[in-house]
Amino acid sequence: MITIPKKDINLKETIECGQIFRYEVEPDESYTIILNDRVINIKEEKESLIITSNNEKDLEKKIINLLDFNKDYDKINKKLFKLDKRLGKYINASIGLKLLNQPPFEMLLSYIISANNSVKGIQKAVNAIAGKYGTKVNFNNKQYSLFPTPNELSNVTEENFRELRVGFRAKYLVDAVKKVISNQIDLEHIKSLPSDMALNELMQVNGVGSKVASCILMLAYDRSDVFPVDTWVIKTITADFKEIKPIQKEVIKYTKEKYGNYSTYAIQYMFNYKRKEAKK
DNA sequence: TGCCAGGTCCGAG
DNA sequence: CTCGGACATGGC
């Protein structure tokens, strides 16, 4: 067990805003997250986070990275507000929200599945894939399945994926696995690419368009200059940013020009605000 | 019951 | 290049 200062994170907001799919809420309101090579439980206390895992090697480092604790969100938020006062209400709806840093391969497959799907549907499919093909680990007397590696999925057919209720996206998953294994897509190399080239690299995979590629870059590659423009963001633009045409291309252009290297946060706050508003 | 979900692909104009 | 329909599945 380790304890780290909680800082300004709102754990619930961060975990439940739709950016991570493989987690469970425990009876004590802590979160159990399956991250890469291990299972981690995070419990929020008044001033700290209590972390346990089946594998405590480098655990603190992994948590700091996962929860994006190396960034100063207060500074980011102040900067955004200065750039555009209208962002105030969106920022305030997302205080304590951190953009998680997650594994590239898992994000690639998860967001392929996300296309025209609901968060619940995505969670089901991703968990089914892990349950069937991922390595099993034990934690707190329970068995969990890690997300499979590319090799563990190398022989999975379109039909196999379809059995796990991924629908028409099955062929896209097969294509993604194939291109990762054959190194047609180098997930490691993408780290060193500028964002526009990284987007193009990811979009070589069938089923990965601009929006999905942006999600992957935002969540697995720590970019703050790319951002997904989805249905919720379009709704926000339509409602509150009437000078922008509510179509993806125009929103991207405007956002980059106005918010620059803070674009990702601005868009994520808009997304979160609108999605929360709809939930009520 | 029918609509829609953190879209993308494909073919037509 | 832009636009509309198809696409699997399940929750509400």
Side-chain angles (χ1 to χ4, degrees), chain A residues 113-122 125 165-166 169:
Chain A
I113 293 169
S114 80
N116 198 38
N117 208 343
S118 64
V119 171
K120 278 213 163 67
I122 303 164
R165 328 312 291 163
V166 302
R169 309 160 194 91

Side-chain angles (χ1 to χ4, degrees), chain A residues 14-223:
Chain A
T14 298
I15 303 290
E16 295 188 9
C17 76
Q19 60 178 322
I20 181 169
F21 302 116
R22 306 208 59 216
Y23 71 90
E24 286 172 21
V25 187
E26 303 294 347
D28 67 352
E29 297 191 316
S30 67
Y31 292 89
T32 301
I33 293 170
I34 302 162
L35 181 72
N36 222 356
D37 63 340
R38 65 191 74 188
V39 183
I40 298 170
N41 179 269
I42 308 177
K43 184 161 170 55
E44 181 176 337
E45 302 277 287
K46 275 209 163 45
E47 307 286 338
S48 60
L49 298 176
I50 298 174
I51 324 279
T52 55
S53 174
N54 65 310
N55 176 1
E56 300 211 344
K57 185 172 186 298
D58 293 330
L59 186 55
E60 179 164 349
K61 213 172 94 185
K62 303 236 177 218
I63 291 293
I64 300 282
N65 179 56
L66 170 72
L67 301 179
D68 213 22
F69 272 7
N70 287 321
K71 289 206 200 85
D72 185 343
Y73 275 71
D74 189 47
K75 198 173 139 192
I76 290 168
N77 294 345
K78 286 198 168 84
K79 175 76 181 178
L80 274 176
F81 186 63
K82 211 171 152 188
L83 285 171
D84 190 346
K85 299 279 181 288
R86 290 177 300 176
L87 289 176
K89 79 172 189 190
Y90 297 102
I91 296 168
N92 286 331
S94 300
I95 298 293
L97 174 69
K98 309 281 188 177
L99 284 175
L100 300 172
N101 294 302
Q102 303 184 65
F105 182 63
E106 181 175 341
M107 290 302 99
L108 172 61
L109 268 54
S110 299
Y111 279 91
I112 285 173
I113 293 169
S114 80
N116 198 38
N117 208 343
S118 64
V119 171
K120 278 213 163 67
I122 303 164
Q123 283 174 329
K124 256 188 143 165
V126 174
N127 281 320
I129 290 170
K132 177 124 190 192
Y133 299 107
T135 302
K136 308 291 181 267
V137 299
N138 288 308
F139 176 58
N140 283 347
N141 299 320
K142 248 178 103 175
Q143 189 180 70
Y144 294 86
S145 303
L146 304 179
F147 193 79
T149 62
N151 273 330
E152 284 172 325
L153 295 177
S154 61
N155 293 319
V156 181
T157 64
E158 182 179 335
E159 192 171 310
N160 295 149
F161 276 125
R162 217 173 257 274
E163 282 165 14
L164 303 177
R165 328 312 291 163
V166 302
F168 63 89
R169 309 160 194 91
K171 56 181 179 292
Y172 301 150
L173 297 177
V174 172
D175 188 57
V177 172
K178 191 186 87 189
K179 284 184 172 144
V180 168
I181 287 184
S182 66
N183 236 19
Q184 268 178 278
I185 301 285
D186 186 340
L187 294 179
E188 195 57 34
H189 179 58
I190 286 175
K191 286 181 187 167
S192 64
L193 293 178
S195 292
D196 53 345
M197 290 176 68
L199 281 173
N200 286 331
E201 178 85 359
L202 288 166
M203 283 164 62
Q204 285 182 61
V205 177
N206 204 3
V208 178
S210 158
K211 191 266 167 187
V212 168
S214 301
C215 281
I216 298 166
L217 280 185
M218 169 175 92
L219 293 172
Y221 292 94
D222 199 17
R223 307 287 172 127

